[in-house]
Amino acid sequence: MAPKKSKGLLGLIGKKKSKKSDSGARKDLKLFEAMQAGEAYGDKELQRSAKDHLWMHFTRHSPYQTKDMTIITRGEGHYLWDSKGNKVIDGLSGLFAVNAGHGHQELADAASKQMMELDFMPLWAYAHPRAIELAERLLSYAPKDLNRIFFTTGGGEAVETAWKIAKQYYKLKGKPTKTKVISRMTAYHGTSHGALSITGIAAMKAMFEPLVPSTIRVPNTNWYRSKHLFKTEEEFGLWAANRIEEAILMEGPDTVAAFYVEPIQNSGGCFTAHPSYFKRVREICDKYDVIFVADETITGYGRSGEMFACERYGIEPDMMITAKAITSGTQPLGALFLKEKYFEPFTEGTTIFPHGYTFAAHPVACAVALANLDIYDREKLVDNVRTNSPIFRKTLEKLYDLPIVGDVRGDGYFFAIELVKNQETRETFNKEESEKLLRGFLNSAFYEAGLYCRADDRGDPVVQLAPPLTIGPKEFDELEQILRKVLTEAWKRV
Ligand SMILES: Cc1ncc(COP(=O)(O)O)c(C=O)c1O
């Protein structure tokens, strides 16, 4: 006799199935239907579809219940256009990436040519010419002791990779307990579990605990909030660097693998450091055999006024992380630079580094990166930053006459304006005030006034500026005028 079928269960499964397909059928894909039919669609259709189907990164979705998203449709030079026809200055180079400006025909040509020559090969057991050429070219700009490159598709993957190399390196060298990473408070290093563990922003991590254990935080170099405690910035820098030594000793030098630092820390608002800070970090890392990792995801490729900020501040890292502007943001690519010493143990016997990414060193991304560096050389973008940065700073410092402007800091084409309640006492805004100011007003007000930039409160509230490296004094004045108008209005609301 055939086994008795459980009608109830089958019924339930059947019901579940049909419900699922019902809801699938109800999915509103009108935009796709219009695309299929070759029909025109505009902002209204894009808005609805974006709200229904996109999950925006690091973004609250609740406001989109009642208001439209900004949909960026075009970029040219240092300008962006949106789906409603507004034109704004790109004051953030997309996301610290579009350093050569938007819309270079030669980058598109390089991508197209490469696609027809070799459209894809992973950099696993086979190499390809563009990766080889790019590695040498990148090394020609890099700090002298860096000799090898591990490609990734972005900054966070390079952060992750550097940690894994450090751990395996020490295992191969007979120091298996050296696994921990020290990084700085409020620093952002990416979102994967490893990179997020190194990140120093508690609010970004809480939901994802438990993260990768064994990371330790030390103070950053927030001079504006520390200057009342020290005679000079150099003295403060030495104090901050010595906290790294303290952390190493507290954890045990045999357990610490690496120290990560951004030459100019973005989160918290462009924290620079006196060169003696980096010199002392080098001494400490040498003393305790700790790998010094410079995270130049943002500062790399000219942003600081040198090709790499390591050069600008005399930093001698063991590893250096770059991404973003390597292709001026037009292709996803990251490059981790290393001293040969960290590669050597991997050349022996059957040893491999069991780690990689399908699309790292994508031939098209490498071809575009090479073309991007041609633009850098031809247009002398780094010289432009070096020459004009002091003028940029001076122009922004005019804003000190506004009571809400507490500090203007940064370097190169990378500045932050810290907002305060009281210039004299440096009193900052509390969480609710900051929420109202930033998300309730500033971010949309800047955009409406013609500037895409970022008001951020991962540390104290700051406005962040990182425009393409192509702009000059005329555009600094335009930026200052927009900032002045919006910050004046913001003060009235405080
Ligand atoms: C200093 C730093 N490190 C790492 C990252 C992560 O890079 P990605 O988003 O390419 O993974 C970022 C991103 O902004 C960054 O600023």
Side-chain angles (χ1 to χ4, degrees), residues 154-156 159 188-190 262 295 297-298 324:
V159 166
Y188 177 78
H189 291 287
E262 289 163 89
D295 186 349
T297 300
I298 289 180
K324 294 187 184 272

Side-chain angles (χ1 to χ4, degrees), residues 71-221:
I71 300 174
I72 302 294
T73 53
R74 192 160 80 82
E76 192 184 316
H78 57 276
Y79 288 110
L80 295 167
W81 284 261
D82 68 25
S83 55
K84 297 188 195 305
N86 299 306
K87 177 184 175 188
V88 296
I89 298 175
D90 182 355
L92 210 57
S93 302
L95 198 57
F96 313 100
V98 190
N99 285 13
H102 295 272
H104 281 281
Q105 183 65 48
E106 69 190 273
L107 299 187
D109 291 345
S112 158
K113 182 164 173 279
Q114 185 58 42
M115 278 198 198
M116 295 314 295
E117 187 179 315
L118 175 68
D119 47 6
F120 176 64
M121 246 338 257
L123 203 70
W124 292 43
Y126 302 88
H128 60 75
R130 294 303 91 75
I132 300 166
E133 291 156 8
L134 180 61
E136 262 208 33
R137 183 145 181 200
L138 291 175
L139 289 168
S140 76
Y141 302 106
K144 65 175 182 348
D145 292 338
L146 303 180
N147 183 59
R148 194 159 293 270
I149 292 190
F150 189 101
F151 284 110
T152 64
T153 67
E157 284 179 0
V159 166
E160 191 84 23
T161 302
W163 192 6
K164 288 177 82 172
I165 290 176
K167 282 170 137 178
Q168 189 174 348
Y169 167 80
Y170 282 121
K171 284 184 176 57
L172 292 171
K173 295 301 266 183
K175 297 180 176 180
T177 57
K178 275 177 97 63
T179 59
K180 297 177 188 171
V181 168
I182 299 176
S183 57
R184 311 200 317 169
M185 288 173 191
T186 335
Y188 177 78
H189 291 287
T191 50
S192 64
H193 272 74
L196 188 60
S197 300
I198 296 173
T199 289
I201 306 165
M204 261 184 205
K205 304 166 77 161
M207 282 76 67
F208 310 112
E209 296 287 358
L211 286 168
V212 184
S214 307
T215 67
I216 302 114
R217 235 65 56 215
V218 291
N220 55 45
T221 46

Side-chain angles (χ1 to χ4, degrees), residues 6-7 16 52 96 188 230 270 281 321 350 354 448 478 491:
S6 156
K7 243 185 165 181
K16 239 189 165 173
D52 282 357
F96 313 100
Y188 177 78
F230 298 89
C270 286
V281 172
I321 289 157
T350 55
E448 280 157 25
E478 276 181 60
W491 183 248

Side-chain angles (χ1 to χ4, degrees), residues 322-391:
T322 71
K324 294 187 184 272
I326 188 171
T327 60
S328 277
T330 55
Q331 287 286 304
L333 184 64
L336 167 66
F337 296 63
L338 308 99
K339 283 185 180 164
E340 195 65 5
K341 160 183 177 184
Y342 299 103
F343 176 69
E344 271 159 13
F346 292 87
T347 60
E348 288 162 20
T350 55
T351 306
I352 64 156
F353 178 44
H355 176 83
Y357 302 97
T358 301
F359 292 126
H362 193 294
V364 175
C366 291
V368 169
L370 285 161
N372 180 49
L373 292 168
D374 289 343
I375 296 175
Y376 266 69
D377 289 350
R378 193 184 60 238
E379 297 190 4
K380 298 194 173 12
L381 292 180
V382 182
D383 291 349
N384 189 49
V385 176
R386 202 182 302 120
T387 308
N388 285 319
S389 173
I391 305 170

Side-chain angles (χ1 to χ4, degrees), residues 8 29 33 36 78 123 187 285 301 305 416 485:
L29 301 177
E33 285 160 18
Q36 293 286 85
H78 57 276
L123 203 70
C285 288
Y301 307 104
K485 183 172 149 220

